[in-house]
Amino acid sequence: MRRIFTIATALVLGATATQAQTVATFDTLTLVGTDTFYVNYSNPGNDVGFDDGLAHFPTNYDTAGYKGLRKGFVYSNMTDSMTSGYTNSFSAKAAKGYNGSNQYLVASGGTNKVYLKGAAVGKPVKGFYATNTTYAYNSMRDGDAFARKFGDSGTIKGSHPDWFKLTVYGYANGSKKADSVDFYLADFRFADSTKDYILKTWEWVDLQSLGNVDSLEFKVTSSDVGQWGMNTPAFFCMDNFTTDETVSVATIAQPIVAKIYPNPAVDKLNIQLQNNSVKRVNVISISGKVIAQYSVTGSLTTINTSSLTSGMYLLQLVGENQNAVVRFVKQ
């Protein structure tokens, strides 16, 4: 039997704050084909970046001299985990995004910033997954014309305590906070050399210790430096950038009124709204993982449920000052 669920909720003065998370997976950003990455020469020397989730990721391309990415972030679906050198700058060593996804981010340049948006501004960032690019990984593994092989002093094999580190700083109200988070993309400082590593899998970087932030700064440093600075290629990969939004209500909010049908659902689920207070819809597993996100632009939003496995799910309706959650069943 299929039913129509009607929900009407409003948060009132003094109600408990509601927490939610938004995951920027980068999988819905458009690329021209397979094994490519985001390119935009439309405004050389200026930010031509992009948004995903509740964050802006700046990008700065150059058309003079060396034509290409000057610094910033690009989203990529490159799968080349073998080719060494700068011509393969935008491939992850893992050859895929986190959990086998098609797309991920590549950061280029020693220092870059990410700017939070909307409900994420002034809230903690949970973290993201990180790994090495093929370019940086192979350079550290083998050495190249600019960088040395990690762990190799040049005279005694395996004697150099090298490292390649990502440091994340938080900013609040335009000021850099004192705390930071260090994450080693490669580490050869162990007394037991069998523990030395260059990262080639996706690993979680927890940023909650930075507290409430408006933006984040990402800086890569290396033990291998020369006359012109760091020799190790200044690239790393990012995926599933996850923000937290805490909704605190000081006044009566506009109620969320919606009809959810059909429930149980087979291949689609309709959300009929009676006002414009909902901005985003999240599909969440019973375990709490955000599976999909949809922007709401009108009174009727239809989500595709055909790829979901059978079972119980949560549908989260996210407004400017409140959330509403209803359960639905996928048959």
Side-chain angles (χ1 to χ4, degrees), residues 135-323:
Y135 179 25
Y137 182 97
N138 289 4
S139 174
M140 291 183 281
R141 182 193 65 190
D142 305 326
D144 55 35
F146 303 98
R148 67 167 172 256
K149 176 181 177 181
F150 267 31
D152 185 355
S153 69
T155 57
I156 304 174
K157 300 298 183 183
S159 66
H160 208 288
D162 282 306
W163 48 266
F164 182 42
K165 181 174 66 175
L166 170 64
T167 303
V168 186
Y169 303 91
Y171 281 73
N173 300 316
S175 298
K176 195 174 188 176
K177 304 180 75 173
D179 293 334
S180 61
V181 172
D182 288 336
F183 180 79
Y184 283 85
L185 293 157
D187 196 348
F188 281 66
R189 300 173 300 156
F190 299 99
D192 179 359
S193 62
T194 62
K195 295 181 180 179
D196 295 345
Y197 68 88
I198 306 172
L199 189 65
K200 62 178 179 181
T201 57
W202 289 99
E203 301 296 336
W204 179 251
V205 182
D206 194 319
L207 300 182
Q208 295 181 88
S209 63
L210 298 179
N212 296 335
V213 295
D214 304 326
S215 61
L216 296 169
E217 181 181 276
F218 299 82
K219 183 177 182 179
V220 288
T221 53
S222 171
S223 57
D224 183 11
V225 295
Q227 181 181 0
W228 308 110
M230 186 172 69
N231 294 325
T232 307
F235 292 78
F236 73 93
C237 298
M238 173 190 295
D239 207 354
N240 283 36
F241 182 84
T242 305
T243 54
D244 265 352
E245 307 97 64
T246 302
V247 180
S248 300
V249 181
T251 57
I252 297 177
Q254 183 181 11
I256 292 177
V257 181
K259 292 182 179 180
I260 312 298
Y261 65 94
N263 193 355
V266 177
D267 56 0
K268 66 180 179 180
L269 187 69
N270 297 308
I271 305 158
Q272 183 73 53
L273 300 168
Q274 293 188 17
N275 53 48
N276 61 357
S277 61
V278 175
K279 305 301 180 184
R280 190 176 74 254
V281 175
N282 297 330
V283 178
I284 305 172
S285 69
I286 289 298
S287 64
K289 179 180 179 181
V290 177
I291 298 172
Q293 299 174 343
Y294 300 85
S295 297
V296 175
T297 57
S299 60
L300 178 64
T301 298
T302 300
I303 63 176
N304 186 351
T305 59
S306 60
S307 62
L308 298 178
T309 57
S310 299
M312 183 79 71
Y313 294 86
L314 302 177
L315 190 69
Q316 181 185 47
L317 309 182
V318 182
E320 291 183 352
N321 295 314
Q322 60 176 310
N323 297 342

Side-chain angles (χ1 to χ4, degrees), residues 112-124:
N112 289 290
K113 291 188 76 172
V114 169
Y115 299 89
L116 304 185
K117 297 178 56 183
V121 175
K123 308 296 192 305

Side-chain angles (χ1 to χ4, degrees), residues 13-131:
L13 187 65
T16 303
T18 301
Q19 287 190 328
Q21 67 178 26
T22 300
V23 182
T25 65
F26 316 111
D27 288 325
T28 60
L29 300 175
T30 302
L31 288 172
V32 297
T34 58
D35 279 317
T36 188
F37 55 89
Y38 172 68
V39 178
N40 187 341
Y41 294 125
S42 64
N43 195 6
N46 296 299
D47 179 22
V48 288
F50 48 89
D51 296 349
D52 198 17
L54 290 174
H56 175 71
F57 300 88
T59 307
N60 188 309
Y61 276 96
D62 196 355
T63 57
Y66 167 67
K67 186 175 181 180
L69 183 67
R70 177 184 292 176
K71 65 177 300 183
F73 298 87
V74 301
Y75 52 93
S76 170
N77 61 16
M78 299 285 289
T79 59
D80 187 349
S81 64
M82 302 298 293
T83 304
S84 299
Y86 70 89
T87 59
N88 188 27
S89 297
F90 302 113
S91 293
K93 187 61 179 178
K96 286 286 188 179
Y98 169 69
N99 204 26
S101 66
N102 290 326
Q103 295 185 183
Y104 51 88
L105 286 197
V106 176
S108 170
T111 303
N112 289 290
K113 291 188 76 172
V114 169
Y115 299 89
L116 304 185
K117 297 178 56 183
V121 175
K123 308 296 192 305
V125 174
K126 291 195 69 174
F128 63 98
Y129 285 93
T131 194

